[in-house]
Each structure stands twice: as structure tokens, then as C-alpha cells.
Amino acid sequence: MEYTFAGLPLHVLLVHAVIVLTPLVGLSLVVIAAWPAARRVLWIPVLVAAALLLPLGLVTIEAGEWLQARVPAAPLIAEHTTQGEDIVPWLWALLVVAVLVAAWAVVEGLAARRATDAAPRRPSRAIRIAVGVVLTVAAVAVTVGATWTIVRIGESGSRAVWEGSYSDVPLDR
């Protein structure tokens, strides 16, 4: 498969989307895990974003491997390529947490619809708080891990591209 768009390697375009969307999806998960009102409204868009982020990350990795085969071998590029795979478990973890938060939103929504004044069927306040805390802690942990991994990968990619190819002072032209 050809991984180019408008003459540019697709990796250099897709990587920016992954760099922006990974922390954004993570922060969105933290918000909807911690804030029930936001969860009721935003669980579907956040779930869809997490579900799309995984294949986007995988295509970005494939495009990076395609690009690596077309540039001269260099230790910094090899390091970046090796680190690029590290994001995959974190993308899966973001998706799993998004599915768990979505499932809890569905449970809460169904319980709210079935509840009547005479027979409230909502989970107890203690259960709602406990589940919210567990989901929030999971979302924070996965967001921090995914974001840190993206920063490490991006930093190694930046070094691979830019180290030794620019001047600390403006060049005379």
C-alpha cells in the first residue's frame, strides 16, 4: 500500500492527529467519568472518538514503518520506530475505559427511565459514587500513561527529523 497524500508521507500528517487526539480523548474520558451530567450527554461522542483513535494510531504506525523503509537507516529513526509501537496498548486501554464509562452511562440511563416515585430503581448513591471514582481513577491513569507515551514517541521522532539539521542562530542567506 502507498502511504502518501498529496506527495507527502502520510505518517507526517497522521501523527499530528494522534498527538492531539490521544490526550483530548483521555481528558474527555476523565470529564465524563467524573461528571455524571457530562457523561449523560457526551458518552457516545467520546466512545466513538476512542474507537476511531485506535485504527488511526495503527495506520499511523504502519505509515511510519512504510516511511522508515524509504529513508536512510539511522539510530534515531530506529529508536523512534521501536517506541512507536508503545502507544498501541494505551490506545486499547483508552478504548476499554471508554467502553466501561459508556456501559455505566447506559446502566444509569436505563435505571433513571425505570425509576418511579414509588419504586426508585437507581443504584444507591454509594454505588454511584464508588463506580464514578473507579472510572475516574482508571481514566486518569490511562490518560497519563497514553499522554506520556505520546510525548516520548513524539520527542524521539522530532530528534530523528531535526537533530543536526538546523542552526541555533539564523543563517546568512
Side-chain angles (χ1 to χ4, degrees):
M1 181 172 181
E2 196 67 20
Y3 286 100
T4 62
F5 178 80
L8 290 174
L10 195 56
H11 178 75
V12 299
L13 300 172
L14 293 177
V15 74
H16 292 90
V18 174
I19 288 169
V20 170
L21 292 175
T22 299
L24 183 62
V25 168
L27 289 173
S28 299
L29 275 174
V30 171
V31 168
I32 67 171
W35 188 9
R39 184 169 48 245
R40 285 189 290 274
V41 177
L42 297 174
W43 71 269
I44 292 174
V46 174
L47 179 60
V48 168
L52 292 175
L53 184 58
L54 178 62
L56 178 64
L58 295 174
V59 169
T60 302
I61 290 168
E62 287 294 318
E65 291 170 353
W66 177 90
L67 180 57
Q68 181 187 19
R70 284 154 180 81
V71 297
L76 291 174
I77 292 173
E79 177 186 342
H80 175 63
T81 303
T82 302
Q83 286 183 355
E85 300 280 339
D86 294 348
I87 195 59
V88 174
W90 292 109
L91 296 178
W92 276 106
L94 282 169
L95 181 57
V96 167
V97 173
V99 167
L100 292 173
V101 171
W104 181 241
V106 169
V107 166
E108 286 181 313
L110 290 174
R113 285 189 189 137
R114 292 182 184 159
T116 64
D117 291 336
R121 293 185 178 172
R122 293 180 68 190
S124 72
R125 179 172 163 75
I127 289 174
R128 291 192 318 262
I129 290 172
V131 171
V133 167
V134 168
L135 291 175
T136 302
V137 168
V140 167
V142 169
T143 299
V144 168
T147 301
W148 176 248
T149 301
I150 284 289
V151 168
R152 281 189 318 104
I153 295 167
E155 191 271 338
S156 72
S158 295
R159 284 192 182 279
V161 170
W162 293 106
E163 193 166 276
S165 65
Y166 72 95
S167 174
D168 291 336
V169 295
L171 300 176
D172 292 329
R173 299 207 187 250

